[in-house]
Amino acid sequence: MATILDGNKIAAEIRAEVAAEVRDMAAAGIRPGLAVLLVGHNPASEIYVRGKVKSCEEVGICSEKLTPPDTISTPELLELVLELNRRDEIDGILVQLPLPPQVDSKKILMAVDPAKDVDGFHPVNVGFLSTQRPGLVPCTPAGIMEILKRSNIPVAGQEAVVVGRSDIVGKPTAMLLINANATVTVCHSKTRDLPGVCRRADILVAAIGRAGMITRDFVKPGATVIDVGMNKVTERAEFDRLFAGNAKREESFRTKGSTLVGDAHPNAAEVAGAITPVPGGVGPLTIAMLMANTVKAAKMRRGSRMPTRPAEHARSA
Ligand code: GUN
């Protein structure tokens, strides 16, 4: 069976490092500030934002939550973003996605000051990443690299396969792996012989959003599997395909009516050398890296006003 890569433990390490940096900044009279824009009442977004605000409190970052109604127009939301761009005490701006359909999401993300773009979604930061310049890197891909680094999994010279080509996860993860000297293949819905391509991987990143799609047949024995999926399974047949005979999951499925599963099927762990669990794998890293990005943005913006500390997660940036 595969080694389980404990995302909660790695995220806690990073949070402790970020908290130490925040304390150093406080000694210099600076408190990093993160503004989170949550439009409307998407239940999943509300849960994510609650986690982000709580994490800010834990590490000492000042957080501010703005909650405009889901009827907001593009120009109105644009004005909120521009006001946050102007405020000097705000170092990071996060616009929680998805936005309501009447809002032009691309226009809103383009309006965020790239220096405050802690999600790393602005085309300027995308360009910095692809040309290996210092900038803000999307949180989930940055978290994946931290898991690999802190678990001593070699990347340089390894075959990496990324399944999924989203702007938020697949593409930036592929870019980070290229920058770390892996040989990278990006797969998607039109890829021929997906299992065969995946079996070439020493590092297999699953970011497709399909419950349990990556079965043992996709995994080279001993490979590292990074599972980015967060899928809610509510149907009995689907549950049985994934968890038949798993008493613990059965119990929670019966009481809650659903269970959370990644893109990797549980039987992938029988073949892999190491694998991230769901929940408790990549998920916790996303928020930890948001904290790290907020401190990084504060340091980059405030330049020489800042004290320095050689942070583990900041070194490769
Ligand atoms: N919605 C789902 N994931 C994310 C993320 O990483 N950032 C933002 N802003 N919204 C999201």
Side-chain angles (χ1 to χ4, degrees), residues 95 97 99 104-112 117 121-123:
V95 183
L97 302 176
L99 291 171
D104 184 340
S105 300
K106 285 210 157 91
K107 207 167 181 177
I108 299 299
L109 296 181
M110 273 285 272
V112 174
D117 171 35
F121 294 165
H122 193 286

Side-chain angles (χ1 to χ4, degrees), residues 36-37 45 48 52 93-98 109 119 121 138-141 168-169 286 290:
V36 180
L37 258 164
S45 293
Y48 288 138
K52 290 170 184 180
I93 302 171
L94 182 142
V95 183
Q96 187 65 31
L97 302 176
L109 296 181
D119 257 331
F121 294 165
C139 301
T140 301
I168 293 179
V169 180
T286 299
L290 174 65

Side-chain angles (χ1 to χ4, degrees), residues 60-131:
I61 290 172
C62 185
S63 76
E64 183 171 320
K65 188 171 85 170
L66 287 83
T67 55
D70 61 6
T71 51
I72 195 165
S73 67
T74 301
E76 286 166 337
L77 190 52
L78 213 47
E79 190 42 52
L80 287 180
V81 170
L82 296 178
E83 175 57 23
L84 293 170
N85 283 348
R86 286 191 287 266
R87 285 174 54 194
D88 192 49
E89 77 281 16
I90 298 293
D91 296 291
I93 302 171
L94 182 142
V95 183
Q96 187 65 31
L97 302 176
L99 291 171
Q102 81 278 7
V103 173
D104 184 340
S105 300
K106 285 210 157 91
K107 207 167 181 177
I108 299 299
L109 296 181
M110 273 285 272
V112 174
D113 179 348
K116 298 187 178 188
D117 171 35
V118 284
D119 257 331
F121 294 165
H122 193 286
V124 163
N125 282 314
V126 176
F128 284 162
L129 173 60
S130 81
T131 53

Side-chain angles (χ1 to χ4, degrees), residues 36-56 65 67 94 96-98 230 232 256 258 260 279 283-284 286-287 290-291:
V36 180
L37 258 164
L38 170 63
V39 180
H41 295 283
N42 179 308
S45 293
E46 284 182 336
I47 293 170
Y48 288 138
V49 166
R50 210 176 303 143
K52 290 170 184 180
V53 169
K54 182 165 164 266
S55 192
C56 282
K65 188 171 85 170
T67 55
L94 182 142
Q96 187 65 31
L97 302 176
M230 289 262 265
K232 199 169 163 182
K256 284 195 295 192
S258 68
L260 199 63
T286 299
I287 295 186
L290 174 65
M291 302 299 108

